[in-house]
C-alpha cells in the first residue's frame, strides 16, 4: 500500500494514498463531525459539517470527500472551522422542528448530538418551517419530511445496499425533498419495508411505526391473555439500548423484563424456527428426490419475500412454501397452545419482538390467519421493546435471569443461528443430512455458509449426493442470484436469502447503528448461543417431537400443510 506524509493538527502521519482527510484524521483519533457521511456508503460531501482547513486550498473543504496528498497540512480546530461548522448546524436547526423532547430519536439523534458537540446554545437564524404530511399509510415505517436534513443516506442505502431505488431527491432549493417517485407513499412505492433507511437516517425523518401503545393496552386488559415471542437476533442486540455492550447475550434478562412488563407467557421464536426446519427441510428433500422446482429458496425474511413478489414474480415457484418462524409461532399459539392450555384463541393476544420492520407487514398479510384469527396481532422491533422497558422503569442490568416458558420456549442451537446470515441454511443442513442418510453427523458446523461475505457458495456432500448451496444477504445481492436463475446460469439446489446486512442481526428494527463491527459482534454471540445449547439439531427438539407426535402428525402432512405453509403472489402497486 502506497503511503503519503501529511500533517494533521501538528501531528505528522503516514496514511494510505487513496484515503480522504476524514479517514486520515479518524485514524489518529481526531474526531471530525459528520452528518451525510456513512462509512458503508459512498461519500457525498453534501452536508458540509465535516469542514476543515487545508493549507493552500481555496476556502474550507469537506473532509469526507477531499483526498490526501503528499505534504498536505490539515487543521481541524481553528476558529474559522469551528464557526463554519456551527453556522451549518444552526442553519439546519433553523428549519428543523423543535420537538426534541417528544421525538422518537431523542437522545439518539445525530443532529442533536452534533449540535451539542459543536457547543451550540442558541440559534441565530430563524428559518421557514416545512409543513409536509406524514407518510404513515403502511404498517412498518413512518416518514416525516419535516425532519429530513437531505443527507441522502436513505437514498444510498436503498439503491446501493438494497438495489431497490425507492428514494430520490425531488425539487430544488428550500423545496428539495427525499421522496419515492411521484411523491408516492411507501405503501404505493416498490418498498420492501426492510427498514434499512430507518437504520441509517440520522434524525427521525424515517422511523419504525410504533405499536407500543396498542401492546400496553393489551397488557392492561384483564380479559386478554397476552403472549410474546422473541426472535433469536433480539437477544444479542437488545442490551445495546439498555447499557450493555454490542453483542452481549441478554436472553435471561430479556425474558425477566418481558415478565415484568406483564406478559402472561414468554416464548421463544426459536421454537418455531425448529418447526420451520422440520417443514422446510422436508420440503427440500421432497423437491430434491421427486424432481421438484430447484433451487428452493428460503422464505423466512419478509423483506426478501416482498422483493421477489414485486420484482421477480416469475420466480415465486422457487420460494419455500413454509411460513416464517414468526408466523408459524403465531398460528400454533392460537391453535395448538390454545387447545393445550384450554384458552379461547379469541382471548389470546399474540405479540412478537423482531429485529425487522418488514415483520410488521408480514403479520398483516391476508393469508396469515390460518388459525381463524390474525395469527400475530402486534410486532414490536428490538428498539420498541427497549423503549417499553425504559418506560416501565425496569433496571435491566440488575434483573436476575429467567427462562422461557414451556413448551413453546424450548428450542435448539440450530434455531438460534437463524439470526445470522447462513444460519437457516446451516440449521436445515444439520437436519436434512441426518434425515437423508439416517446417520448422525460427525460435525454439525457448516463453516462454509458462515461469515459476512455478501454471497457465499458451497458444496455439501450428503450420502451419495452433492448439494450445491448459496447464501446471500441484502436485496442487491439477491438480485444478482435471481438474475442468474432467470438466465439458467446456476446449478444450485438450495439458497438462503436475507434482506438485511448480516441477516437478522442487521435488521431494520435493531438498535442503531449497525456497523460491520457491531454485526460481527452480534454474529459471534449468535454462534456462542448455539455452542452452549444442550440440543443443536431441530429434529431433536423434544417439544417439537411432541408437537408432531400428538397434534400435527408429520411434516408436510395435511394439518401442517394447512397451518404452516402458504403461497406467494405478485404484488402490484401504483
Amino acid at each position: 500500500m502506497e503511503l503519503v506524509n501529511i500533517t494533521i493538527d501538528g501531528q505528522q502521519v503516514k496514511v494510505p494514498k487513496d484515503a480522504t482527510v476524514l479517514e486520515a484524521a479518524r485514524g489518529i483519533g481526531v474526531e471530525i463531525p459528520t452528518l451525510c457521511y456513512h462509512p458503508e456508503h459512498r461519500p457525498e460531501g453534501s452536508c458540509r459539517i465535516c469542514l476543515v482547513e487545508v493549507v493552500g486550498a481555496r476556502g474550507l473543504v469537506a473532509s469526507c470527500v477531499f483526498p490526501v496528498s503528499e505534504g498536505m497540512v490539515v487543521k481541524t480546530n481553528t476558529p474559522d472551522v469551528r464557526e463554519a461548522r456551527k453556522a451549518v448546524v444552526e442553519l439546519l436547526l433553523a428549519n428543523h422542528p423543535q420537538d426534541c423532547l417528544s421525538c422518537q430519536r431523542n437522545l439518539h439523534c445525530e443532529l442533536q448530538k452534533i449540535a451539542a458537540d459543536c457547543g451550540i446554545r442558541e440559534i441565530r437564524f430563524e428559518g421557514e418551517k416545512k409543513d409536509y404530511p406524514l407518510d404513515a399509510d403502511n404498517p412498518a415505517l413512518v416518514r416525516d419530511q419535516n425532519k429530513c436534513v437531505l443527507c441522502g443516506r436513505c437514498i444510498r442505502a436503498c439503491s446501493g445496499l438494497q438495489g431497490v431505488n425507492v428514494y430520490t431527491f425531488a425539487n430544488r432549493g428550500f423545496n428539495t425533498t427525499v421522496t419515492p417517485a411521484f411523491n408516492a407513499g411507501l405503501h404505493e412505492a416498490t418498498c420492501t419495508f426492510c427498514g434499512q433507511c430507518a437504520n441509517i437516517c440520522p434524525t427521525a425523518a424515517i422511523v419504525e411505526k410504533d405499536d407500543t401503545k396498542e401492546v400496553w393496552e393489551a397488557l392492561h386488559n384483564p380479559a386478554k391473555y397476552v403472549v410474546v415471542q422473541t426472535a433469536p437476533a433480539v437477544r444479542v442486540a437488545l442490551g445495546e439500548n439498555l447499557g450493555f455492550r454490542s453483542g452481549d447475550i441478554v436472553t435471561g434478562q430479556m425474558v425477566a423484563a418481558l415478565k415484568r412488563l406483564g406478559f402472561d407467557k414468554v416464548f421463544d421464536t426459536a421454537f418455531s424456527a425448529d418447526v420451520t426446519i422440520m417443514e422446510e427441510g422436508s420440503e427440500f428433500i421432497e423437491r430434491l428426490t421427486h424432481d421438484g422446482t430447484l433451487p428452493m429458496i428460503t422464505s423466512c425474511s419478509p423483506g426478501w419475500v416482498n422483493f421477489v413478489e414485486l420484482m421477480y414474480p416469475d420466480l415465486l415457484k422457487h420460494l419455500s412454501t413454509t411460513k416464517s418462524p414468526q408466523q408459524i409461532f403465531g398460528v400454533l399459539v392460537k391453535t395448538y397452545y390454545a387447545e393445550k392450555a384450554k384458552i379461547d384463541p379469541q382471548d389470546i393476544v399474540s405479540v412478537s419482538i423482531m429485529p425487522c420492520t418488514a415483520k410488521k407487514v408480514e403479520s398483516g398479510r391476508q393469508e396469515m390467519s390460518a388459525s381463524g384469527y390474525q395469527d400475530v396481532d402486534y410486532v414490536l422491533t428490538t428498539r420498541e421493546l427497549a423503549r417499553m422497558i425504559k418506560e416501565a422503569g425496569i433496571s435491566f442490568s440488575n434483573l436476575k435471569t429467567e427462562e422461557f416458558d414451556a413448551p413453546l420456549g424450548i428450542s435448539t442451537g440450530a434455531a438460534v443461528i437463524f439470526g445470522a446470515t447462513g444460519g437457516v441454511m446451516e440449521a436445515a443442513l444439520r437436519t436434512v443430512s441426518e434425515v437423508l442418510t439416517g446417520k448422525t453427523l460427525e460435525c454439525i458446523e457448516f463453516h462454509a455458509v458462515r461469515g459476512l461475505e455478501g454471497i457465499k457458495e458451497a458444496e455439501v456432500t450428503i450420502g451419495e449426493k452433492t448439494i450445491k448451496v448459496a447464501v446471500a444477504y441484502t436485496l442487491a445481492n439477491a438480485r444478482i442470484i435471481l438474475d442468474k436463475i432467470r438466465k439458467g446460469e446456476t446449478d444450485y439446489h438450495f439458497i438462503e436469502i436475507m434482506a438485511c446486512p448480516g441477516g437478522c442481526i442487521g435488521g431494520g428494527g435493531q438498535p442503531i447503528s449497525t456497523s460491520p463491527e457491531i454485526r460481527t459482534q452480534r454474529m459471534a454471540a449468535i454462534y456462542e448461543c448455539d455452542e452452549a445449547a444442550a440440543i443443536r439439531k431441530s429434529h431433536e427438539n423434544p417439544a417439537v417431537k411432541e408437537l408432531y407426535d400428538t397434534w400435527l402428525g408429520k411434516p408436510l402432512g395435511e394439518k401442517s400443510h394447512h397451518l404452516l405453509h402458504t403461497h406467494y403472489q405478485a404484488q402490484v402497486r401504483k
Side-chain angles (χ1 to χ4, degrees), residues 85-129:
R85 290 176 186 166
K86 280 187 178 182
V88 171
V89 176
E90 285 180 274
L91 287 168
L92 287 172
L93 294 174
N95 301 123
H96 202 75
Q98 305 297 309
D99 61 349
C100 293
L101 294 179
S102 59
C103 179
Q104 190 178 121
R105 289 290 298 272
N106 186 31
L107 302 182
H108 296 282
C109 171
E110 292 182 41
L111 180 60
Q112 187 182 55
K113 182 180 184 302
I114 288 170
D117 290 347
C118 286
I120 295 174
R121 299 295 177 262
E122 62 178 352
I123 303 170
R124 293 170 291 172
F125 315 113
E126 185 173 344
E128 182 180 346
K129 296 293 190 290

Side-chain angles (χ1 to χ4, degrees), residues 51-53 60 76-87:
L51 291 172
V52 298
E53 179 183 337
L60 303 180
T76 73
N77 189 31
T78 67
D80 286 347
V81 166
R82 291 198 304 273
E83 286 304 312
R85 290 176 186 166
K86 280 187 178 182

